[in-house]
């Protein structure tokens, strides 16, 4: 049972917004009640490049022309298990891009910072909704060791994706030769955005890691070439 992303109220009957993908109670289910404004959009551009012959690197970029508007959202931050090493990662049924559970994540942000909380919130969101978004099951576990982490999340004042210029977000995924199995992935999000906008950018980029594309925007608007902002 999910709590409302605005007031935190838990209810058996919940509503998912078609614009932002968040869950709300009956009081906050309408876009105008939780800060969505479908008239404001941000553009996204994606690129695919080739890496070494035995690996492929996929990069998806959000362009820098982002409209940052609307109210700051109250977000729930779920706790994630913290470990010191990824050496004991348990391999399970390959029902997520990495083919393992848990997936060890290194977040390049101080514990308790706004950036770290945004990352924690979106990782929790994907744990809850990956089966609906990408027919996947995933459990994330935090690690303090960047080396060996299957997923790295960074927050930077300037994000450049594949040399294509300034961007607000970028996802770089390396897959095994002749396979879609992810070896490692790095997601970067530009700092200075409102929390809601930063979460949408991070959700979009994680969507690329999970195999979603802009063609999935009809079902998940936050994967659109133009993301709705509130």
């Amino acid at each position: 049972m999910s709590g409302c992303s605005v007031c935190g109220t838990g209810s058996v009957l919940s509503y998912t917004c078609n614009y932002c993908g968040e869950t709300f109670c009956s009081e906050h289910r309408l876009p105008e009640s939780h800060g969505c404004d479908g008239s404001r959009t941000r553009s996204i551009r994606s690129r695919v490049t080739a890496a070494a012959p035995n690996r492929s690197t996929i990069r998806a970029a959000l362009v820098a022309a982002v409209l940052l508007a609307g109210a700051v959202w109250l977000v729930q931050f779920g706790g994630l298990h913290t470990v010191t090493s990824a050496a004991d990662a348990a391999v399970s049924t390959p029902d997520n891009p990495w083919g393992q559970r848990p997936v060890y994540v290194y977040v390049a942000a101080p514990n308790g910072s706004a950036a770290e909380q945004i990352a924690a919130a979106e990782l929790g969101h994907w744990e809850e909704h990956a089966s609906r978004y990408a027919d996947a099951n995933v459990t994330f576990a935090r690690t303090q060791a960047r080396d060996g982490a299957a997923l790295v999340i960074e927050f930077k004042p300037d994000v450049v994706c594949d040399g294509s210029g300034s961007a607000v977000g970028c996802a770089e995924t390396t897959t095994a030769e002749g396979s879609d199995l992810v070896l490692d992935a790095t997601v970067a999000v530009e700092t200075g955005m409102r929390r809601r906008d930063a979460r949408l950018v991070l959700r979009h980029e994680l969507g690329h890691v999970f195999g979603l594309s802009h063609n999935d925007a009809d079902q998940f608007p936050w994967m659109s070439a133009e993301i709705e902002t509130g």
Side-chain angles (χ1 to χ4, degrees), residues 15-35:
Y15 304 84
T16 300
C17 178
N18 289 330
Y19 294 106
C20 61
E22 292 291 340
T23 302
F24 301 96
C25 64
S26 58
E27 181 180 353
H28 297 108
R29 66 186 178 87
L30 297 176
E32 57 267 28
S33 299
H34 61 258

Side-chain angles (χ1 to χ4, degrees), residues 156-172:
K156 300 178 176 181
D158 296 297
V159 175
V160 176
C161 199
D162 193 34
S164 60
S166 182
V168 295
C170 183
E172 180 175 331

Side-chain angles (χ1 to χ4, degrees), residues 93-97 101 126 128-138 207 210-212 216 219-220:
T93 304
D95 52 359
N96 62 57
R101 277 186 286 169
W126 271 95
E128 182 177 356
H129 297 289
S131 59
R132 180 166 66 92
Y133 292 162
D135 194 24
N137 289 289
V138 65
F210 274 84
L212 300 181
D216 294 297
Q219 187 174 6
F220 309 120

Side-chain angles (χ1 to χ4, degrees), residues 54-66:
N54 65 333
R55 293 188 177 186
S56 63
T57 302
I58 303 173
R59 295 180 171 89
L62 294 165
V63 299
V66 178

